[in-house]
Amino acid sequence: MPVLRVRDAVETDVALVAQLIRALAQYEKLEADCVIRETDLAAHLFGTRPYAEALIGEIDGEPQGYALYFHTYSTFAGRPGLWLEDLFVRPDARGGGLGRALLAEVARRAVERGCARLEWSVLDWNAPAIRFYEAIGAAQKPEWIINRLTGEALRQLAAGAA
């Protein structure tokens, strides 16, 4: 039986995490949007002010996946939450429980930190992921629509701030 292990990413894992992020972008057909630089990732995970945390999932000692998450805050609940930005297991390593182990560890940390919720998004075409999330009891929130400002639109709005 394969041995699953979930551990915190460390600074020497930056190249690995970047590689897994690129693999996720390829799986999601979003390679053109994936412009991550390892120096930025290192600063944002391990710098003076970390913005996110990452876990590495291993099968028999070989890194096969990761989870990347960060804190949010619910004004309605009056408590913090965790946002799971990425959950990815290499396609050839799926089905053995590593994705669930990674997600369970993020959930454990949310409970330990007194978070009101753990949230994430999923692409509407990703039926295997949707089935997995439904199987663990996750509720989809179709009434919420994600909005995003990037590039020039973000810069124009920021320029109008007093």
Side-chain angles (χ1 to χ4, degrees), residues 156-162:
Q156 283 183 3
L157 182 59

Side-chain angles (χ1 to χ4, degrees), residues 134-155:
E134 288 172 344
I136 62 166
Q140 291 183 14
K141 306 294 281 177
E143 66 275 17
W144 289 91
I145 297 172
I146 296 172
N147 292 275
R148 179 177 294 166
L149 277 175
T150 63
E152 189 54 33
L154 176 61
R155 285 187 287 280

Side-chain angles (χ1 to χ4, degrees), residues 31-52:
E31 292 168 285
D33 294 337
C34 188
V35 296
I36 189 165
R37 295 180 321 170
E38 289 180 20
T39 53
D40 292 337
L41 185 61
H44 297 152
L45 290 178
F46 304 106
T48 337
R49 182 175 183 212
Y51 290 96

Side-chain angles (χ1 to χ4, degrees), residues 64-126:
Q64 297 291 346
Y66 79 107
L68 191 139
Y69 60 96
F70 53 88
H71 278 274
T72 61
Y73 190 79
S74 169
T75 55
F76 288 7
R79 292 174 39 210
L82 286 183
W83 179 267
L84 178 64
E85 181 65 17
D86 293 345
L87 175 66
F88 178 74
V89 174
R90 296 180 197 273
D92 59 336
R94 293 184 184 152
L98 187 59
R100 183 180 181 91
L102 284 160
L103 190 53
E105 179 58 21
V106 176
R108 186 192 69 74
R109 291 172 186 215
V111 169
E112 178 182 82
R113 296 173 187 187
C115 294
R117 57 179 64 141
L118 169 59
E119 297 178 303
W120 63 91
S121 62
V122 61
L123 291 167
D124 60 0
W125 59 260
N126 194 344

